[in-house]
Amino acid sequence: MKKIFIAGKWKLGGGKPSKSYYPADHSENAEISSASLDDVDEAILAADAAWRHSDWRDTLPSEKATILFKVANLLEDKKTFLAKLQTRDNGKPISETMGLVNSAIATTRYIASCLETLDNELTNQRIKSVLTFTTYEPLGVIAAITPWNSPVASEIQKIIPALAGGNAVILKPAEATSLIALELATIFEEAGLPAGLFSVLTGKGSVVGEAIVKHPLVQKISFTGSTSTGRHLAHVAAEKLISTSLELGGKSPTIVFEDANVDIAVNGVIYGIFSSSGQACIAGSRLFIHQSIYDKFLDALIEKTKKIIVGDPEAPNTQMGPLVSEAHLNTVDDYVKMAKEEGGNVVTGGYRLTGENFDKGSYYAPTIITGLTNQAQICQEEIFGPVLVAMPFSDEDALVAEANQSVYGLAAGIWTEDYRKALDMAKRLEAGTIWINTYKKFSIATPFSGHKESGVGKEKGRLGILDYMQTKSIFLNLDETPNPWCEVK
Ligand code: ADP
């Protein structure tokens, strides 16, 4: 049974254990102990003491960076191991999980490098005799709550900037994918991070996660996951008057104009929806194709989709692995059934894959549906699976209205050779990230945020560190001018 990591100590958690399974054949990876409510309290009390009383908050930026660089080097040393572990946990193909570990390494190095140049501010001197300046201070104990789809990248993306800001972090990974989080704990321990600044509390969101975020000493909730859980956490934060960063769901539109380079756009569109088997908040799940190229583009898209290599996630050339669980596969399949009931035509896929190796796991065929409008339920709700709905458009204003007709606003893709049109569209689309002639490209230096119900706050970039800090403004009187009431006798 896997132990959990509380304030520098490994122990069996007092909660109900859970199991991690390999989605490709449902074999058991590990049994993991889970935190009890006492464990939650112990970790948070230790975290509070660690950020308040250890030297961490006042440690020189270069010394903090030294530890973070050690973390990056350890991530790099263990790259293949971590990628394989994540593949075992959530079934993502090894080529993708290697990319996610690379992203975690790059994030850590970037934030460590920023540390030396994160300045406090000497503010504009508006009162002649008073010097004003503003310092950035840690918030305190940060709850980092993460989902199962890209744990290594999304966990590092929260832990590293929070630690860089002088805070302590309690990580609550998703129940299905806790193994990476526990491995990260060994890495922070080996890198010499002072005890208490980082703990990993595994267990159910509704029990362990809930107890963490409601704990009075937790000062910020940094969450990635579903919009419904995010909304609930926003209520918890509102009650406590603490800040949040919420990276939530999406239903991102991809738009292909008549002048797009068809070969490149077809590849981009299928990568945008079918990589990670569609289990990505940024998946480009609504496709709008210009009427004049609709048939030609759709034919090319179907042909290419049928060639996607679906199979063993541990094989280097696999492009699409299984879905994370049987329960999730059934949800995806229910959405496809619903689409048919709404009048949709399934032009490829639409079924679970069967046959020797597929029978052991939760594999679903990459699926394209036509014949629906943007109002269909399947176009409005996040499926988190390999299901694309294709729709024709002719009028640009109507297109923009339809693309924006969604409660979500996470990302959008635009395919055209006309850069003026692309930039005009980029301005008009309601989304935090816009990709032009590419999709799912990321940079740690570039802020990531959701508009509308896709999220609150931003991650990444230098400013991402300051999101884990609060300002303190100091007014220093330089002469002996009295305050007005000194005159009163
Ligand atoms: P998903 O559908 O991706 O599992 P969730 O939003 O349910 O999305 O879960 C994302 C993370 O949030 C997981 O780590 C989960 O355990 C956690 N979680 C779920 N419910 C709560 C809650 N009430 N309080 C805190 N964390 C929660």
Side-chain angles (χ1 to χ4, degrees), residues 47-92:
D48 192 61
W51 83 269
R52 266 180 220 283
H53 306 304
S54 78
D55 294 332
W56 183 248
R57 59 186 290 179
D58 298 319
T59 298
L60 276 176
S62 59
E63 288 169 15
K64 279 202 194 91
T66 301
I67 292 187
L68 299 189
F69 278 122
K70 271 191 202 153
V71 169
N73 292 344
L74 288 164
L75 287 168
E76 187 147 50
D77 293 346
K78 296 187 176 184
K79 185 156 68 175
T80 309
F81 168 73
L82 290 170
K84 282 187 176 163
L85 188 66
Q86 191 178 313
T87 292
R88 294 291 308 183
D89 240 2
N90 69 3
K92 270 197 176 181

Side-chain angles (χ1 to χ4, degrees), residues 344-360:
N345 309 313
V346 178
V347 291
T348 184
Y351 48 82
R352 84 174 294 152
L353 290 166
T354 52
E356 209 182 332
N357 286 330
F358 292 140
D359 286 344
K360 294 188 213 148

Side-chain angles (χ1 to χ4, degrees), residues 144-149 155 172-177 201 203-214 221 223-230 232-233 236 247-248 328 382 384:
I145 315 257
T146 50
W148 48 261
N149 61 326
E155 285 162 11
K172 208 304 278 170
E175 238 192 326
T177 56
L201 298 178
K204 270 193 177 311
S206 55
V207 180
V208 179
E210 186 84 9
I212 296 170
V213 295
K214 286 190 170 160
I221 304 170
F223 170 79
T224 300
S226 64
T227 292
S228 59
T229 303
H232 167 67
L233 296 182
V236 173
E247 300 291 354
L248 310 176
H328 188 49
E382 185 177 40
F384 224 65

